[in-house]
Amino acid sequence: MSALPSAPADADSLFHALADPTRRDIVTRAMHGEHSVSALAGHYPMSFAAVQKHVAVLERATLVTKERRGREHLVRTNIDAVRAVAQVLDDYETVWRDRMDRFADVLASRQEGERS
Amino acid sequence: MSALPSAPADADSLFHALADPTRRDIVTRAMHGEHSVSALAGHYPMSFAAVQKHVAVLERATLVTKERRGREHLVRTNIDAVRAVAQVLDDYETVWRDRMDRFADVLASRQEGERS
DNA sequence: ATAATCTACAACCATATGGTTGTAGATTAT
DNA sequence: ATAATCTACAACCATATGGTTGTAGATTAT
């Protein structure tokens, strides 16, 4: 569907980036619209530098991108990276489901055996 | 569907637990069947104690459960916790989609205005 | 009974992480 | 031109993290 403007980062960076409530909140805000780093910083009880670091972590994980507009750097969520993480989890789900199916097969063939 | 044998942990613990390749591998192995902690430890180039710590992190995050069988503690993946993480990401996806829909509406009504 | 196996946990260490303040470079506003 | 705003980054600090070895308690095997 969408082109790949930046290949998603490794699972390590992605999960680590999402393992912080401030960063998850930034991802949510940056989905609803563009925000400068200082606009974002205004929402959190910490220094601008701290928020800037959080944005940098998200950027390294490809979860957000920054576009320079004048002296501001607008932060935007990269939904493809979110989807990449979801994909990892869906893969787990698939593995689980396959295993359940095989398990059901074994049970079924056992019942066949008992019946005959 | 499935009952809740243990309420999933907070998103912080869940994402953090998944942000390590060894732990993700343990989750995968423990989906395919039960493994004792030492059986798991055999697969990784680190001490038993290190693996035991990884299992403890996964257990605190509710991603695995341990059931004692004799002197062994069998580790099993809790698929509901995996689903809980997937849910968080699906929520992002939903928010994004809603935003896209509203955006499309705005564009459509604008075109209406131009046509009339 | 004794030895071996499995797990838990303490103590320790190096590095990563999340926060701080301060300085400096770009850009915009006055 | 000068001041204000926005961002980047260095230096620093306390704590968390991922690893280690060692000790000890349960359980199983001999």
Side-chain angles (χ1 to χ4, degrees), chain B residues 22-86:
Chain B
T22 303
R23 288 198 289 262
R24 285 197 302 278
D25 197 71
I26 291 175
V27 167
T28 304
R29 285 183 194 278
M31 267 193 320
H32 286 98
E34 300 165 330
H35 299 265
S36 70
V37 180
S38 16
L40 287 170
H43 295 294
Y44 308 104
M46 63 186 77
S47 68
F48 167 82
V51 174
Q52 198 226 315
K53 276 190 184 183
H54 281 307
V55 172
V57 170
L58 289 169
E59 200 180 8
R60 260 180 268 127
T62 72
L63 279 162
V64 306
T65 57
K66 275 192 295 193
E67 190 192 349
R68 181 175 190 149
R69 180 117 71 194
R71 62 186 163 185
E72 295 185 329
H73 287 200
L74 300 183
V75 177
R76 229 178 316 183
T77 294
N78 173 22
I79 193 70
D80 285 330
V82 175
R83 291 198 185 110
V85 188

